[in-house]
Amino acid sequence: YQRRVHGDPTKDVLVKFYAPWCGHCKAMAPVYEELAESLSSRKDVVIARVDATKSKSLGARYEVRGYPTLKLFRRDDKSGGLTYSGARTKEALLAYLDLDDEDEDGVGTDDVVRDEL
């Protein structure tokens, strides 16, 4: 986790903290997978997930209070992650990542890595 999220200053990392038994997490799984697939040609975005029931210390560290919780760790500030609270659709997540405007906030370069952290 540390290496993948905090170790590379060239990548933005979107992390889904989930619980395997969570109905909302199960419902969101295909959307999150579709998001990762749609970004598969990009290089500097990592789409990852953490089973917060197995990694309780990470959930506590990032104040995960419900599932799923999405946190965006920007390449220029990976301290606490930005909590996403918008719609759980591929389109809304793409808009949140602001991948069409590379110059404004540094997101939107070239690759997505799907990863279980």
Side-chain angles (χ1 to χ4, degrees):
Y1 176 86
Q2 188 68 22
R3 178 183 58 81
R4 184 60 110 178
V5 173
H6 297 287
D8 190 341
T10 66
K11 295 185 188 313
D12 293 307
V13 183
L14 181 65
V15 179
K16 178 177 83 165
F17 292 89
Y18 73 99
W21 46 260
C22 168
H24 294 292
C25 299
K26 290 177 184 178
M28 186 183 183
V31 171
Y32 205 66
E33 189 67 25
E34 188 179 328
L35 174 70
E37 287 293 326
S38 72
L39 297 174
S40 64
S41 66
R42 302 186 71 97
K43 289 222 186 277
D44 292 345
V45 178
V46 175
I47 303 298
R49 62 186 179 195
V50 171
D51 180 343
T53 66
K54 290 183 180 176
S55 301
K56 292 181 182 183
S57 63
L58 285 176
R61 178 178 175 184
Y62 296 110
E63 300 178 357
V64 174
R65 306 226 190 288
Y67 305 116
T69 294
L70 299 175
K71 295 271 188 175
L72 177 61
F73 297 88
R74 294 276 190 198
R75 68 183 64 153
D76 58 350
D77 179 13
K78 299 212 178 185
S79 56
L82 304 169
T83 302
Y84 175 74
S85 60
R88 293 176 180 166
T89 65
K90 181 179 95 171
E91 294 75 19
L93 289 165
L94 286 170
Y96 178 68
L97 292 170
D98 196 20
L99 294 174
D100 295 328
D101 192 357
E102 294 182 26
D103 297 331
E104 183 175 320
D105 63 8
V107 181
T109 45
D110 299 357
D111 186 29
V112 172
V113 177
R114 283 176 283 154
D115 212 353
E116 177 79 29
L117 299 175

